[in-house]
Amino acid sequence: MTETTQQQHGAGTRSPEYRLARNSLRGLRQDLFHDPFAYRPLPPRRTDGPFVRRLPARPRSAAQHLPHAVVGATALFVLAIGALSSGLPGGDVMALLIGLLCALPVLTTLVRPVGAFWLSLAVTPVVALVKSGQGDWPWMPGAFVGHLVVLVVVALRTRPRTAAWMWVLTGVYAFLSDGVLGGSYYSTNSAPMMVTSAFALLVVSLWHVRRTAEQEVTAQQTVTAHERSRRTLLEERTTIARELHDVVAHHMSVVAIQAEAAPYRVENPPPELERAFATIRENAVAALTELRRILGVVRAEDYEAPDAPQPTLADLDALLVNVRDAGLEVEKVVTGAVRELPQGVELSAYRIVQEALSNSLRHAPGASARVEIGYVLGGLGVRVVNGPAPEPSLVKPSPGAGHGITGMRERVAMLNGEMTAGPADDGGYEVAVFLPVATVNEGDA
């Protein structure tokens, strides 16, 4: 029982060297031995790069197949080297055969990259044996260039670990060919092959690492931008919730006070009326307590409720005075019959005008603006438009964080309104908002 436990325990606690070797062999099997001749065609090149996307339509479409053309041209180059450097007495047929054998692995990288590596290793001794002791060993000129090209292309199409294993297996083949199959050859080019291939694969691996790092940085920047936008949205909603909490809490407090004082304004009120007002007051106090308990969580620890009441459209003239003092020429136009609107609507309209004018000051310094307030039957229309900044301008536009439009849209969506924002025809910017207001019939009043 004890021996069995010890054996099982010993089998489960391997040394770090053993685990490293096992993981390495597993990586070798996955990269080079697992279905090496799988069909994996070289995908077309992307055409959204900074240079390619500026090309006309036909050259841009042809640029998709630029990698295939480069590999094909390299295969022709390898074929020429293999054929011209053969020097065989058999004539052109044997020279062409050697050139084709050297170029075949290069073309195979287009469809079966890992298989092309094994094919290149298999072709190398065949070419050397066909030449029968002529030239360097074990790589003839065509096979030398072809194997380097295959290593680079396969490394580009796979990953750095595969490149490392291909270099190791190339070294194993070089060692075996020099020590076992060397025969009558007096010179060897294994060392130049290993050094040249190591340098080429190192460059490709560094490119892979850099590309992976850029992709990770891009992905992280996308996530960061998304989180920043989401945080801005939540902050804006929190601000709106604070303001509405103050507005609703004020009205509920007024309801509770008036319900408590109403019975004393009527001489000898009936008991039913007193009970009704008492019920109204109790419900108002209960609603106010629940409102403060639930919506109070949106307040930060350092948040202080404003001393002054929330602004309305009646305070818009004071806002325009401040904006004019800041250097923005602004005109106000009011159409329709001015009437009192729900405080949430007036507060949102005020904040929208305030933010739109602030954006005009930041992004179009020196321009003029126009504020249009339209009282219509179904609600309130707000339009703020500014002209283009004068050229040249002594004050440079501020890029801003782009959060103002987000806050406007949140306020409009909260009131089930509609909003459009975008560049105007004259080069300025326009914000148009409609906030619906439910009408109260006389019979319902």
Side-chain angles (χ1 to χ4, degrees):
M1 190 69 168
T2 305
E3 286 186 14
T4 304
T5 304
Q6 290 178 352
Q7 290 177 358
Q8 293 177 352
H9 181 70
T13 56
R14 301 292 187 179
S15 63
E17 293 80 5
Y18 173 81
R19 291 196 298 269
L20 178 62
R22 184 182 61 183
N23 294 334
S24 299
L25 293 177
R26 184 183 294 114
L28 173 62
R29 183 173 67 253
Q30 292 176 352
D31 291 343
L32 296 180
F33 287 95
H34 179 69
D35 199 8
F37 287 91
Y39 181 70
R40 289 190 296 167
L42 181 64
R45 186 178 186 272
R46 297 177 57 182
T47 58
D48 56 351
F51 174 74
V52 179
R53 64 187 178 189
R54 293 188 176 92
L55 298 176
R58 295 187 63 182
R60 185 169 63 251
S61 177
Q64 295 180 351
H65 304 288
L66 180 61
H68 306 77
V70 171
V71 174
T74 307
L76 290 177
F77 178 70
V78 172
L79 186 150
I81 294 178
L84 296 177
S85 63
S86 62
L88 293 177
D92 297 337
V93 176
M94 293 300 296
L96 181 61
L97 177 61
I98 291 179
L100 290 175
L101 287 176
C102 295
L104 181 60
V106 178
L107 291 176
T108 308
T109 59
L110 292 174
V111 290
R112 308 181 192 275
V114 177
F117 167 73
W118 291 111
L119 184 61
S120 179
L121 282 182
V123 164
T124 298
V126 173
V127 173
L129 292 176
V130 169
K131 295 194 66 172
S132 303
Q134 302 179 19
D136 293 330
W137 175 268
W139 280 279
M140 300 303 130
F144 188 96
V145 177
H147 191 67
L148 282 177
V149 172
V150 168
L151 289 177
V152 171
V153 176
V154 176
L156 286 171
R157 295 199 57 191
T158 54
R159 52 182 174 178
R161 189 179 71 178
T162 306
W165 280 120
M166 289 192 301
W167 187 82
V168 170
L169 292 179
T170 300
V172 171
Y173 170 76
F175 175 78
L176 293 177
S177 61
D178 289 343
V180 180
L181 305 176
S184 60
Y185 289 88
Y186 295 101
S187 61
T188 176
N189 57 1
S190 296
M193 167 59 75
M194 298 307 298
V195 173
T196 307
S197 61
F199 178 77
L201 294 178
L202 178 61
V203 172
V204 174
S205 299
L206 292 177
W207 176 82
H208 268 295
V209 172
R210 183 175 181 271
R211 183 184 179 188
T212 303
E214 289 179 349
Q215 292 176 348
E216 292 178 354
V217 170
T218 302
Q220 187 63 35
Q221 289 177 345
T222 302
V223 172
T224 302
H226 177 73
E227 290 297 328
R228 185 184 300 113
S229 177
R230 181 173 176 271
R231 185 175 63 251
T232 301
L233 189 62
L234 291 176
E235 290 176 354
E236 188 63 32
R237 289 180 177 178
T238 301
T239 302
I240 296 173
R242 289 171 180 169
E243 294 176 348
L244 290 181
H245 170 263
D246 296 335
V247 171
V248 176
H250 169 72
H251 285 295
M252 294 302 294
S253 300
V254 172
V255 170
I257 294 173
Q258 289 181 346
E260 184 177 6
Y264 299 100
R265 297 185 178 182
V266 180
E267 185 177 357
N268 298 322
E272 294 82 2
L273 184 61
E274 291 184 353
R275 286 195 298 268
F277 280 116
T279 302
I280 294 174
R281 181 183 180 281
E282 291 174 359
N283 291 334
V285 172
L288 183 60
T289 303
E290 189 68 16
L291 179 67
R292 288 173 174 169
R293 184 180 67 83
I294 296 177
L295 296 184
V297 299
V298 301
R299 298 187 185 275
E301 294 181 358
D302 57 348
Y303 175 77
E304 296 182 359
D307 297 332
Q310 296 291 348
T312 63
L313 291 177
D315 303 312
L316 199 57
D317 291 334
L319 173 64
L320 299 183
V321 171
N322 292 333
V323 172
R324 293 189 184 99
D325 293 340
L328 179 65
E329 296 182 4
V330 59
E331 177 188 4
K332 174 187 172 184
V333 177
V334 179
T335 58
V338 178
R339 67 183 186 275
E340 185 177 356
L341 300 174
Q343 191 167 358
V345 174
E346 296 217 1
L347 173 62
S348 296
Y350 179 90
R351 294 301 188 195
I352 289 171
V353 173
Q354 184 182 38
E355 185 61 38
L357 295 178
S358 298
N359 288 341
S360 300
L361 284 171
R362 285 194 298 265
H363 303 297
S368 59
R370 178 183 175 91
V371 178
E372 299 177 1
I373 306 295
Y375 292 87
V376 296
L377 182 60
L380 178 70
V382 178
R383 181 173 178 265
V384 181
V385 57
N386 64 268
E391 294 292 343
S393 178
L394 299 178
V395 182
K396 295 183 178 180
S398 173
H403 301 163
I405 300 297
T406 302
M408 296 182 197
R409 294 191 187 279
E410 280 298 306
R411 293 182 182 275
V412 173
M414 176 190 64
L415 298 174
N416 296 323
E418 298 178 359
M419 171 180 168
T420 58
D425 295 336
D426 60 352
Y429 201 83
E430 177 182 352
V431 175
V433 173
F434 177 75
L435 303 177
V437 177
T439 57
V440 180
N441 297 327
E442 294 181 0
D444 298 336

